[in-house]
Amino acid sequence: MKFIHSLFFSLLLTASAVQAQRDETAPATLPKLKAGEAVATFAGGCFWAQEEGFDQLRGVRDVISGYSGGNVPNPTYQQVGTDQTGHAESVQVYYDPKVISYAELLTAFFAGHDPTTLNRQGPDRGRDYRSVAFYRTAAEKQAILAAIQRVNASKQYPNPVVTEVVPFSVFYPAEMYHQNYCKLHPDQSYIQSVSLPKVEKLRHAMQGKLKKEGM
């Protein structure tokens, strides 16, 4: 009887582990837009740093990591990584425009990654790491173009901006294990050496607009 109980308990643990793994690899659920909120979508290299950076801004309620700009429905991380789906690692930002404007989000976007490197960010190479600003309205498109002009004129970077300016089509949320990755894995070597320096660049550019200043 003890053997049967032990076997049954082991099977339960195995089933729980399998279910937990399935939950982690399932796509995240997109939040519902609240009254008065707006949504913006950007791609600027690995979405871990982009998500963490935008999430630190006052007026931003939620940020979801995912995929946009491609031609394959509901892609997986592995598929996007092959560079065959056309998607870029992206983030979708849910924000209150009364607290933070779209133009200010663009300032954060261009500060939080290098928009002058074509199809790469640091050690990450491929079209899935390209820089893209997706616009939903004509006003957003003009705001993006104006921001690019400002960045180029400022000589903030030694080379011109190569960010794609693309109409928004669809955003697919990434798997659950990618969400809040920086917060959950702060000591990981990639997070320490690649992601957090990008977050710090964004924080430096957005002083006065951070949820927690002086961190």
Side-chain angles (χ1 to χ4, degrees), residues 55-129:
D55 192 49
Q56 295 195 17
L57 299 176
R58 284 206 311 267
V60 171
R61 174 174 65 92
D62 208 348
V63 188
I64 303 295
S65 290
Y67 316 109
S68 198
N71 49 35
V72 175
N74 301 303
T76 65
Y77 180 67
Q78 287 72 23
Q79 287 175 317
V80 172
T82 67
D83 248 358
Q84 301 299 307
T85 70
H87 292 91
E89 289 194 16
S90 308
V91 292
Q92 194 140 281
V93 183
Y94 296 78
Y95 68 101
D96 184 348
K98 293 180 180 177
V99 179
I100 188 166
S101 68
Y102 185 73
E104 288 169 326
L105 291 181
L106 287 171
T107 298
F109 170 65
F110 284 112
H113 78 297
D114 185 345
T116 70
T117 52
L118 186 63
N119 298 333
R120 64 175 288 247
Q121 283 294 304
D124 301 319
R125 298 171 183 269
R127 286 276 293 158
D128 50 325
Y129 295 113

Side-chain angles (χ1 to χ4, degrees), residues 186-198:
D187 298 324
Q188 190 193 75
S189 59
Y190 180 92
I191 297 300
Q192 287 284 323
S193 62
V194 179
S195 301
L196 292 182
K198 293 181 183 178

Side-chain angles (χ1 to χ4, degrees), residues 4-210:
I4 294 174
H5 283 173
S6 296
L7 179 61
F8 180 68
F9 186 64
S10 296
L11 289 173
L12 281 178
L13 287 177
T14 301
S16 297
V18 169
Q19 185 58 50
Q21 186 175 27
R22 286 177 180 168
D23 291 345
E24 283 294 290
T25 57
T29 301
L30 291 178
K32 292 183 179 179
L33 204 62
K34 293 185 177 181
E37 273 190 333
V39 61
T41 307
F42 305 103
C46 178
F47 42 31
W48 297 339
Q50 290 275 296
E51 178 189 348
E52 178 64 20
F54 279 113
D55 192 49
Q56 295 195 17
L57 299 176
R58 284 206 311 267
V60 171
R61 174 174 65 92
D62 208 348
V63 188
I64 303 295
S65 290
Y67 316 109
S68 198
N71 49 35
V72 175
N74 301 303
T76 65
Y77 180 67
Q78 287 72 23
Q79 287 175 317
V80 172
T82 67
D83 248 358
Q84 301 299 307
T85 70
H87 292 91
E89 289 194 16
S90 308
V91 292
Q92 194 140 281
V93 183
Y94 296 78
Y95 68 101
D96 184 348
K98 293 180 180 177
V99 179
I100 188 166
S101 68
Y102 185 73
E104 288 169 326
L105 291 181
L106 287 171
T107 298
F109 170 65
F110 284 112
H113 78 297
D114 185 345
T116 70
T117 52
L118 186 63
N119 298 333
R120 64 175 288 247
Q121 283 294 304
D124 301 319
R125 298 171 183 269
R127 286 276 293 158
D128 50 325
Y129 295 113
R130 68 192 186 273
S131 176
V132 190
F134 298 94
Y135 62 86
R136 287 170 168 79
T137 66
E140 286 186 354
K141 181 180 181 180
Q142 290 306 310
I144 296 166
L145 295 175
I148 291 173
Q149 284 188 329
R150 287 196 300 273
V151 172
N152 283 332
S154 72
K155 303 299 182 182
Q156 177 180 349
Y157 300 98
N159 298 308
V161 170
V162 295
T163 301
E164 296 178 10
V165 182
V166 177
F168 176 78
S169 176
V170 62
F171 175 87
Y172 296 104
E175 296 83 346
M176 281 298 299
Y177 71 90
H178 285 299
Q179 310 303 325
N180 294 309
Y181 198 91
C182 271
K183 285 185 176 67
L184 295 173
H185 306 278
D187 298 324
Q188 190 193 75
S189 59
Y190 180 92
I191 297 300
Q192 287 284 323
S193 62
V194 179
S195 301
L196 292 182
K198 293 181 183 178
V199 175
E200 284 307 310
K201 277 182 58 186
L202 184 150
R203 287 180 57 83
H204 180 75
M206 300 303 292
Q207 291 179 32
K209 284 288 182 178
L210 300 171

